[in-house]
Amino acid sequence: MTQFTLLAWDYTDEGALERRMGCREKHLEDLRELARQGHFISGGVILNDDGKMIGSNVHCRFESREALEAWLETEVYVTEKVWEHIDVREIKLFDPNA
């Protein structure tokens, strides 16, 4: 499996934070399911200097970039217009237990 990191930046319009909060529980529930499937490694929210949520960082693994893109098409933060720009990069995370 290939590891990826996503830096996903939220929309900046007036309703952006409200949209994020409105579907946040669904997003977290879906990430828990991704973890059970072995795809989600780690992640969290990106905060601005005032502590406001402005994006996300996700480490995940998929069979291919195409499989990752297929997941993104169904990700609630994409479908509900929370994430405006997503930078996807292939990575190799350090495993301290290896």
Side-chain angles (χ1 to χ4, degrees), residues 1-6 38-39 41 58-64 68 88-95:
M1 289 232 239
T2 304
Q3 295 178 340
F4 299 93
T5 188
L6 286 71
H39 297 296
I41 300 169
V58 178
H59 293 135
C60 55
R61 63 181 143 240
F62 285 92
E63 295 78 19
S64 64
L68 167 68
V88 177
R89 302 291 175 151
E90 186 174 328
I91 58 169
K92 292 187 180 188
L93 293 171
F94 171 69
D95 181 354

Side-chain angles (χ1 to χ4, degrees), residues 10 27 37 88:
D10 292 0
H27 168 72
Q37 296 171 7
V88 177

Side-chain angles (χ1 to χ4, degrees), residues 22-80:
C23 59
R24 187 165 190 262
E25 287 306 314
K26 170 75 170 131
H27 168 72
L28 296 176
E29 176 184 315
D30 291 349
L31 287 180
R32 287 183 190 99
E33 179 57 29
L34 270 184
R36 284 190 285 275
Q37 296 171 7
H39 297 296
F40 179 79
I41 300 169
S42 68
V45 67
I46 299 171
L47 304 173
N48 68 10
D49 292 339
D50 298 323
K52 177 184 169 193
M53 292 183 261
I54 59 168
S56 303
N57 180 29
V58 178
H59 293 135
C60 55
R61 63 181 143 240
F62 285 92
E63 295 78 19
S64 64
R65 175 69 183 252
E66 293 77 19
L68 167 68
E69 296 292 341
W71 163 67
L72 279 175
E73 288 179 12
T74 66
E75 164 55 49
V76 70
Y77 275 8
V78 173
T79 62
E80 295 298 317

